[in-house]
């Protein structure tokens, strides 16, 4: 069995392993990391040899840590990263480069249709009818997107939203509210087979699926990092938030994961604070008194036009994993349009948590 895992902000870890009588055998760890002294690699392999095959990642990491020689230095490598690579090998996880990725980047669409497209396209990936897809959104109108489990009245000032002509829609994923305006936001979705994140914890899957965009931002001169559970941050402040939804495949078979990210290219912070009810309790663990200081837009940090930032992100993804241009099919659009009307524009769905 073969597993690979790129440590967030670090290097690639590759594990080849066999299972005999319920334990790990013939473990071989490799990668482009740095490790001193040389015998530390033998210690890592030895720590994993004979481990019960059902040991979780934390347990495997603990075995590795206990076996490392005194003074071991790891660069681009962690015990947790090796453990995750083992779990991915045992789960028969796939890699990004195992797929033919498709890009969908079409014209501006209403917020409710974007919500529906996420659901429809991810269901198509789960069913095997669509390749893994990177979809870059364009917004037809301003909106507040609330998480699947958020209270509508607690998150949004309805009068202020009406006054500014802002639609409120609820998405299928969890997480917090996002304030978006055309031209001021960069939003993208990844609809991926469940096999891509096999062997990863829920938290680790966020870091794994965000890693490519951290590289793209780095190429633009931005030192960005994943901040658990679902933020992308820089030393200037938060620039993006992510959310996920897991979807079961047909007949309960292997499914797909929807991972979408909203990035602040520019922001009208005063309007945002009028529309969103950002309470003191929510801000208390963020290390700042002001919600304005939490978000530092990409426009200021890059000095690039929004379209150039998007182009560079797409180019970075293509350079890593390959990417061909595609489109939403007529049938997918028909289903999404119907779903937008019957679900995402319905008061029952939007206010399902009042």
């Amino acid at each position: 069995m073969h597993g690979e895992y790129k440590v967030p902000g670090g290097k690639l870890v590759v594990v080849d392993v066999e299972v005999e009588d319920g334990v790990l055998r013939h473990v071989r760890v490799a990668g482009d990391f740095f490790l001193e002294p040389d015998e530390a690699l033998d210690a890592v392999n030895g720590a994993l040899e004979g481990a019960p095959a059902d040991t979780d990642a934390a347990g495997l990491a603990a075995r590795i840590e206990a076996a490392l020689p005194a003074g071991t230095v790891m660069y681009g490598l962690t015990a947790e990263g090796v453990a995750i690579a083992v779990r991915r090998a045992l789960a028969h996880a796939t890699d990004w480069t195992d797929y033919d990725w498709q890009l969908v980047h079409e014209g501006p669409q209403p917020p409710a249709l974007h919500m529906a497209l996420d659901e429809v396209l991810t269901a198509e990936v789960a069913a095997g009818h669509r390749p893994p897809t990177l979809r870059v959104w364009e917004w037809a109108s301003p909106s507040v997107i609330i998480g699947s489990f958020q209270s509508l009245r607690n998150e949004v000032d309805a009068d202020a939203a009406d006054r500014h002509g802002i639609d409120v829609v609820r998405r299928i994923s969890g997480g917090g509210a996002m304030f978006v305006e055309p031209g001021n936001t960069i939003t993208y979705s990844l609809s991926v087979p469940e096999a891509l994140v096999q062997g990863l914890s829920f938290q680790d899957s966020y870091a794994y699926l965000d890693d490519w965009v951290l590289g793209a931002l780095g190429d633009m001169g931005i030192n960005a990092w994943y901040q658990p559970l679902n933020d992308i941050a820089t030393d200037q402040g938060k620039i993006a938030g992510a959310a996920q939804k897991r979807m079961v495949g047909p007949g309960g078979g292997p499914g797909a994961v929807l991972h979408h990210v909203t990035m602040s290219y520019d922001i009208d912070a005063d309007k945002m604070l009028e529309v969103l009810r950002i309470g003191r309790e929510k801000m208390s663990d963020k290390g700042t008194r002001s919600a304005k200081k939490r978000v530092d837009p990409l426009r200021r940090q890059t000095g690039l036009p929004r379209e150039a930032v998007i182009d560079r992100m797409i180019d970075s993804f293509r350079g890593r994993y390959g990417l061909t241009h595609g489109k939403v099919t007529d049938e997918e659009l028909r289903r999404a349009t119907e779903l937008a009307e019957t679900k995402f524009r319905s008061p029952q769905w939007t206010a399902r948590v009042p």
Side-chain angles (χ1 to χ4, degrees):
M1 287 168 277
H2 179 87
E4 298 185 3
Y5 178 66
K6 183 179 181 300
V7 176
K11 299 295 185 177
L12 181 69
V13 182
V14 180
V15 172
D16 291 284
V17 62
E18 298 173 19
V19 175
E20 297 176 0
D21 299 323
V23 299
L24 306 185
R25 295 297 184 197
H26 312 298
V27 183
R28 299 176 299 281
V29 177
D32 60 355
F33 49 80
F34 299 90
L35 180 63
E36 294 288 348
D38 280 355
E39 53 265 30
L41 183 60
D42 292 332
V44 171
N45 289 330
L48 295 170
E49 190 74 20
D54 60 356
T55 307
D56 64 13
L60 294 173
R63 291 175 68 105
I64 294 168
E65 291 282 2
L68 290 174
T72 294
V73 176
M74 293 179 166
Y75 184 75
L77 175 70
T78 64
E80 292 78 9
V82 175
I84 291 170
V86 172
R87 294 309 317 167
R88 284 176 59 76
L90 298 175
H92 301 283
T94 55
D95 185 67
W96 295 83
T97 54
D98 292 331
Y99 300 104
D100 295 323
W101 290 88
Q102 185 175 109
L103 171 68
V104 172
H105 187 192
E106 300 182 339
Q109 293 159 323
L113 184 58
H114 278 305
M115 305 303 112
L117 283 168
D118 263 359
E119 183 168 335
V120 168
L121 298 188
T122 306
E124 288 294 277
V125 172
H129 299 155
R130 159 173 283 279
T133 299
L134 168 64
R135 184 171 74 90
V136 180
W137 303 21
E138 296 294 344
W139 296 91
S141 60
S143 181
V144 168
I145 315 300
I146 59 174
S148 182
F149 310 108
Q150 287 189 296
S151 163
L152 177 61
R153 72 166 67 99
N154 288 347
E155 297 298 328
V156 182
D157 185 321
D159 292 337
D162 288 342
R163 185 166 63 252
H164 291 292
I166 294 174
D167 289 335
V168 180
V169 295
R170 185 184 294 275
R171 63 181 183 266
I172 61 174
S173 61
M178 306 301 295
F179 175 81
V180 300
E181 293 183 292
N184 284 356
T185 305
I186 297 172
T187 305
Y188 67 86
S189 301
L190 287 169
S191 296
V192 307
E194 185 180 28
L196 184 63
V197 296
Q198 285 289 353
L200 299 178
S201 68
F202 190 74
Q203 176 172 316
D204 288 333
S205 72
Y206 273 83
Y208 184 69
L209 294 175
D210 282 339
D211 189 67
W212 73 274
V213 81
L214 300 185
L217 292 168
D219 291 342
M220 288 181 264
I222 298 176
N223 179 29
W225 59 86
Y226 163 73
Q227 183 169 295
L229 171 66
N230 62 333
D231 287 348
I232 297 174
T234 72
D235 54 7
Q236 302 298 312
K238 172 182 172 180
I239 57 174
Q244 285 187 10
K245 176 68 176 178
R246 308 295 173 103
M247 300 182 69
V248 177
V257 177
L258 168 66
H259 179 92
H260 43 200
V261 174
T262 295
M263 312 179 77
S264 294
Y265 173 73
D266 205 350
I267 193 166
D268 186 333
D270 291 327
K271 188 187 296 184
M272 178 186 74
L273 292 178
E274 283 186 53
V275 175
L276 296 184
R277 300 185 189 277
I278 301 178
R280 292 180 181 178
E281 184 66 23
K282 179 181 287 187
M283 300 307 300
S284 65
D285 66 343
K286 306 298 183 181
T288 177
R289 292 182 179 179
S290 170
K292 293 182 183 180
K293 294 179 181 178
R294 286 191 60 212
V295 181
D296 196 75
L298 287 169
R299 180 178 183 176
R300 191 189 71 77
Q301 292 203 43
T302 65
L304 296 170
R306 176 179 176 273
E307 293 74 14
V309 174
I310 292 173
D311 287 344
R312 292 195 183 192
M313 289 171 56
I314 291 172
D315 287 345
S316 180
F317 191 102
R318 181 180 291 112
R320 284 177 172 228
Y321 311 127
L323 191 64
T324 59
H325 283 278
K327 66 176 184 177
V328 176
T329 68
D330 291 342
E331 175 59 18
E332 289 168 341
L333 182 58
R334 184 196 65 76
R335 289 168 51 198
T337 300
E338 179 180 347
L339 193 61
E341 291 298 330
T342 59
K343 179 176 180 177
F344 292 105
R345 288 194 178 96
S346 72
Q348 291 79 13
W349 170 256
T350 305
R352 76 178 189 126
V353 183

